[in-house]
Amino acid sequence: SGSGLGNPPSSAGTARFGATPVTTHALLATRLVATARPGRPRTLRDVDEQIVLDRVMNASDLLRSDLRSIASSNTLRDALRRVLHLLSQNGVTADQAETASKKSGDARAKDVLRLFAAYQRHIGECGLTTFYDAAWEAARAVHADRSLAAAAGLRDVVLVDDFQDLDAGQFELLRALAPPDGKVALEVFGDPTG
């Protein structure tokens, strides 16, 4: 049975894929999280994240370095959001960021790490997730409940294109969906120069 996201044949001599068999990691993760937590708020997009980031920054005294003088700059907030994405994609937790901020000797790094910790705690308290941490959340949900993979439409094989572009969260999601001892095969394709 070749299709990882397909459904069984609908009648003799015919077959159908059912749900779209091609997806992105973000959409797959979002679908898994929605299945694990029905009724939760939708995954935040960049514009939503900016609103949440603004709330966190405006409600606290997190910036103590020279970044404070340009805290209202859209350029700074865009740059901060990109850094928050990188930290989220690599599975950094709020507690790890808080600990790192206390150990850092760089005032700007302290600010960014404190901000990340506050931001992560805020979205967690509100039951929110972003596209950048959805893969980690989905992986945790699948590790806790293996039936989520089947509920999301995964059956036999997961094919991954551009494997070299995966971030740590996406890789962890694939490990959860197709563990070495599991029934779902994982086939990856990549470009070594990509």
Side-chain angles (χ1 to χ4, degrees):
S1 19
S3 122
L5 296 174
N7 291 329
S10 53
S11 64
T14 65
R16 64 183 177 84
F17 276 115
T20 304
V22 177
T23 188
T24 65
H25 284 93
L27 292 176
L28 175 60
T30 299
R31 191 167 63 204
L32 287 163
V33 171
T35 302
R37 296 187 331 178
R40 73 169 182 81
R42 69 176 169 76
T43 301
L44 297 177
R45 290 174 171 75
D46 286 349
V47 67
D48 304 317
E49 281 188 87
Q50 190 63 56
I51 293 167
V52 174
L53 178 59
D54 288 347
R55 284 185 188 155
V56 170
M57 287 180 69
N58 293 336
S60 59
D61 183 31
L62 294 169
L63 299 183
R64 299 175 189 155
S65 71
D66 58 350
L67 293 178
R68 181 185 201 124
S69 65
I70 57 170
S72 62
S73 161
N74 286 335
T75 302
L76 173 65
R77 292 191 181 212
D78 286 344
L80 287 171
R81 207 173 65 243
R82 285 192 299 275
V83 171
L84 299 183
H85 293 168
L86 286 172
L87 293 170
S88 292
Q89 286 173 305
N90 284 286
V92 177
T93 66
D95 290 342
Q96 290 170 331
E98 188 86 29
T99 299
S101 74
K102 293 175 183 172
K103 294 179 180 178
S104 176
D106 183 277
R108 289 179 180 175
K110 285 178 184 277
D111 281 357
V112 171
L113 291 165
R114 273 194 307 268
L115 177 62
F116 176 76
Y119 178 78
Q120 284 298 103
R121 287 188 177 114
H122 180 77
I123 63 173
E125 289 164 3
C126 295
L128 302 171
T129 190
T130 71
F131 280 109
Y132 301 93
D133 56 9
W136 287 104
E137 189 171 339
R140 286 189 291 273
V142 172
H143 281 304
D145 180 1
R146 293 267 180 219
S147 70
L148 289 174
L154 295 171
R155 301 286 182 263
D156 304 311
V157 179
V158 176
L159 303 174
V160 181
D161 192 19
D162 292 329
F163 185 71
Q164 76 280 354
D165 293 335
L166 263 63
D167 64 42
Q170 293 166 345
F171 182 75
E172 186 58 30
L173 176 56
L174 288 176
R175 285 174 33 104
L177 293 170
D181 60 340
K183 296 179 181 176
V184 176
L186 180 63
E187 298 288 335
V188 301
F189 306 89
D191 176 1
T193 62

